[in-house]
Amino acid sequence: DKDDELAVSEYAADIYSHFKVQERTMTHVPPHFMAMQPQITEEMRGVLVDWLVTLQFSFRLGSETLYLAVNLTDRYCSVNEVPRSTLQLVGATALFIASKYEEVSRALWVNDLVAICDNLYCRQEFVKMETQILSALGFKISAPTAFSFLPRYLKAGHADQNLAQLAAYVL
Amino acid sequence: MENYRIMKQLGQGVWSRTYMGQQKDTDQLVAMKKFKANSCDEGVDFKALREIKLLSYLQHEHIIRLVDSFATPDMAVVLVYEYAHTSLDQILRNRDIPLSSPDIKQHIRMLLLAMDACHEKQILHRELNPENMFYLEDGTMKLRGFDLARMHDGKPNTLLSPQAFALWYKPPEVLMRSQHYSFSADMWSVGCIFAELMLRRPFLMGQFTELSQLDKIFKVFGTPNESNWPDYAILPLAWHSTVPVPPVAAVSLDGIFTAAPNDAISLLKSILVLDPSNRLTASQALRHPYFSNEPPPTPKGNLILSSPPPEAN
């Protein structure tokens, strides 16, 4: 699961600096997938992730859903060249897939996607992108995200409630 | 899709069709479930994603293996499973297949092993019936039908839909519209399948409606009351006219399963209990003396799965 570890180690580098021992096992995959993308930059990815976070709040999605969405976006970007104009489409669709995968009751509908992207893309584009992402990842959706490692690390670090809150916030 | 040859259609459901297929490079037989493309205009069917999630999480000898999954050009999702030759439903209906008590012991043992694996991973199956128990050529039972399955955290406040379960295998608390059922609900279905193996016909055959199903259950197990099911009164349907008046007493299962050995009836009695909190769990059931007593279960390789080929004249 090189790809999975790649995504995780990417977060791990700056987040888990205080859990150095565990971190070492994951940082051996150098995550520079963004360098391959001619049209999008790390900054754009950052903006996209921030936007996904706001969506997580407004649609009351679980944290797992958010982390999975970011992970799917990154994995898709590491195997496909994404034009600047479709980055938002990829991100929103990844959130859509993640919500279907993780949420117990349906939380996000195609119409929501159209609305949150301000009619930039139409229904068909989302539905098509969904299949494209799933096919590109060979339907291997599940991935250990930073969030799935958090509880384990908190335990390993004998974290108290404050540290747990702080860690969840930083993540 | 280009890696598979479709051979014939096996079945059709509300959301999907199942085909028998063959992997082109290996000639391996597979079962392929094709979810209808964009049936709800909401893109990929979330039930397909759920099933992929659960099956990749649940890898077990007695649970169907997902071989592959992909999307077709017309954007339908296809799940590819290992191919199973027959189901318990077909076995039970084929009168040419004898079913001895050691055979029954093996069938129910494999089901309990599958159930134990699901419940240990906090997964509720919610659609156990003989049609979802498939058999490989070597006699290994493989549980299928995870369309309605879901993760359950075991917390009592999680709401669950009372729409799940096939009627004859539906537990009484779900029939009474409980939304807080748990792993014990699957165990009721296991008990019904166990009974069906012994009777060779479905045990509690309600006629179309949930009310008639409840009626069947109460006629055998008696009407619920403070002593046999202390919590029944808080169920949503307890105050409607679901419970027959005057109360009916339970009948003895020994009188129904006259041919069954005592240890089998004792196990059945500890699984089919009205009060969900008093039903055995899958792992408890597997430790029941029935499985260690003589005769030992038939080795799965010796189970008869299809009728013998007609004698050549």
Side-chain angles (χ1 to χ4, degrees):
Chain A
D1 276 342
K2 207 173 156 203
D3 279 343
D4 299 346
E5 284 181 336
L6 183 125
V8 165
S9 61
E10 195 219 336
Y11 313 129
D14 45 17
I15 296 164
Y16 289 133
S17 52
H18 51 300
F19 293 132
K20 287 208 158 54
V21 183
Q22 291 89 341
E23 189 191 32
R24 219 178 298 140
T25 56
M26 295 185 295
T27 42
H28 62 274
V29 189
H32 293 303
F33 67 87
M34 271 305 196
M36 308 169 357
Q37 295 284 348
Q39 286 201 28
I40 51 177
T41 63
E42 287 282 359
E43 287 72 35
M44 292 179 193
R45 178 189 172 276
V47 173
L48 180 76
V49 173
D50 286 347
W51 179 66
L52 291 175
V53 172
T54 59
L55 293 179
Q56 183 215 349
F57 276 108
S58 37
F59 287 94
R60 293 155 206 261
L61 304 171
S63 306
E64 281 289 5
T65 309
L66 174 68
Y67 290 102
L68 183 60
V70 176
N71 175 271
L72 292 172
T73 310
D74 288 348
R75 280 157 73 204
Y76 182 74
C77 290
S78 66
V79 290
N80 278 280
E81 194 181 312
V82 179
R84 192 174 303 177
S85 59
T86 51
L87 182 60
Q88 197 182 8
L89 176 66
V90 173
T93 313
L95 190 67
F96 184 51
I97 297 173
S99 76
K100 283 185 184 177
Y101 198 72
E102 293 289 353
E103 299 291 327
V104 171
S105 52
R106 285 296 295 282
L108 209 52
W109 302 82
V110 178
N111 284 341
D112 297 328
L113 298 179
V114 176
I116 56 180
C117 292
D118 232 357
N119 290 311
L120 198 57
Y121 316 101
C122 67
R123 293 182 64 93
Q124 284 72 26
E125 284 176 289
F126 285 109
V127 174
K128 202 170 147 214
M129 178 52 74
E130 182 185 29
T131 321
Q132 255 174 41
I133 296 179
L134 289 170
S135 302
L137 305 183
F139 279 83
K140 291 181 177 54
I141 303 164
S142 190
T145 62
F147 191 73
S148 24
F149 283 94
L150 178 64
R152 189 186 298 179
Y153 286 160
L154 288 174
K155 215 172 181 179
H158 301 291
D160 59 11
Q161 194 62 35
N162 287 336
L163 185 56
Q165 294 290 343
L166 177 69
Y169 174 73
V170 176
L171 228 72
Chain B
M1 200 56 151
E2 59 280 0
N3 298 333
Y4 298 92
R5 231 188 326 266
I6 287 194
M7 297 163 81
K8 66 176 181 195
Q9 183 168 335
L10 296 171
Q12 184 165 4
V14 184
W15 303 291
S16 59
R17 278 178 190 183
T18 317
Y19 301 93
M20 172 180 172
Q22 198 171 28
Q23 227 161 14
K24 278 183 188 162
D25 19 334
T26 60
D27 281 348
Q28 200 198 341
L29 288 178
V30 291
M32 305 169 77
K33 179 153 85 177
K34 184 175 178 180
F35 284 82
K36 284 177 189 163
N38 290 332
S39 50
C40 51
D41 216 20
E42 283 293 323
V44 170
D45 197 324
F46 75 100
K47 289 187 283 306
L49 296 186
R50 279 246 191 108
E51 195 169 334
I52 293 174
K53 178 180 180 177
L54 292 179
L55 287 181
S56 48
Y57 180 54
L58 262 179
Q59 299 193 5
H60 186 263
E61 188 192 355
H62 293 298
I63 289 168
I64 200 85
R65 192 165 54 85
L66 191 63
V67 181
D68 194 4
S69 38
F70 56 88
T72 60
D74 59 341
M75 301 204 286
V77 178
V78 181
L79 303 192
V80 183
Y81 314 89
E82 56 190 330
Y83 184 75
H85 291 261
T86 187
S87 68
L88 184 62
D89 182 55
Q90 281 167 299
I91 295 173
L92 286 165
R93 281 197 288 171
N94 185 340
R95 295 283 153 179
D96 294 335
I97 302 178
L99 213 49
S100 68
S101 19
D103 294 349
I104 293 173
K105 202 176 273 193
Q106 180 62 275
H107 286 295
I108 200 70
R109 193 184 79 94
M110 292 192 287
L111 176 61
L112 282 168
L113 287 169
M115 217 58 273
D116 189 34
C118 290
H119 291 174
E120 196 194 64
K121 296 210 159 166
Q122 313 288 305
I123 291 170
L124 275 174
H125 185 282
R126 305 202 295 177
E127 214 187 354
L128 291 176
N129 62 48
E131 285 172 55
N132 277 332
M133 293 168 64
F134 283 81
Y135 291 81
L136 302 185
E137 244 171 340
D138 69 353
T140 308
M141 191 284 287
K142 293 276 180 177
L143 188 60
R144 248 188 70 175
F146 283 81
D147 313 42
L148 291 177
R150 57 164 287 173
M151 303 284 272
H152 181 51
D153 49 16
K155 290 188 196 127
N157 53 355
T158 311
L159 294 183
L160 295 166
S161 161
Q163 311 299 345
F165 294 96
L167 186 61
W168 294 341
Y169 307 90
K170 213 171 201 175
E173 68 274 21
V174 179
L175 288 164
M176 293 179 81
R177 295 289 155 83
S178 165
Q179 291 187 302
H180 303 286
Y181 57 86
S182 184
F183 304 109
S184 49
D186 275 340
M187 289 308 291
W188 178 271
S189 311
V190 171
C192 292
I193 295 170
F194 189 24
E196 184 165 347
L197 279 161
M198 294 192 272
L199 292 172
R200 236 186 151 144
R201 61 168 170 76
F203 177 36
L204 301 159
M205 295 199 278
Q207 302 202 318
F208 309 113
T209 66
E210 304 209 328
L211 215 56
S212 106
Q213 185 65 27
L214 266 181
D215 193 52
K216 286 272 176 221
I217 294 175
F218 293 151
K219 278 195 174 126
V220 176
F221 297 92
T223 39
N225 55 45
E226 285 301 312
S227 61
N228 66 7
W229 191 356
D231 292 333
Y232 94 96
I234 57 166
L235 294 175
L237 286 193
W239 298 109
H240 296 72
S241 50
T242 48
V243 179
V245 189
V248 189
V251 299
S252 164
L253 291 183
D254 307 75
I256 302 172
F257 300 88
T258 44
N262 286 334
D263 52 357
I265 293 184
S266 141
L267 174 59
L268 187 66
K269 277 182 184 161
S270 354
I271 297 177
L272 288 180
V273 181
L274 281 183
D275 185 349
S277 57
N278 285 338
R279 282 174 215 151
L280 287 191
T281 65
S283 70
Q284 287 168 339
L286 283 165
R287 289 194 300 267
H288 191 276
Y290 170 66
F291 293 104
S292 45
N293 288 351
E294 290 293 318
T298 310
K300 63 185 186 189
N302 296 351
L303 290 175
I304 301 164
L305 301 175
S306 51
S307 39
E311 300 272 331
N313 288 323

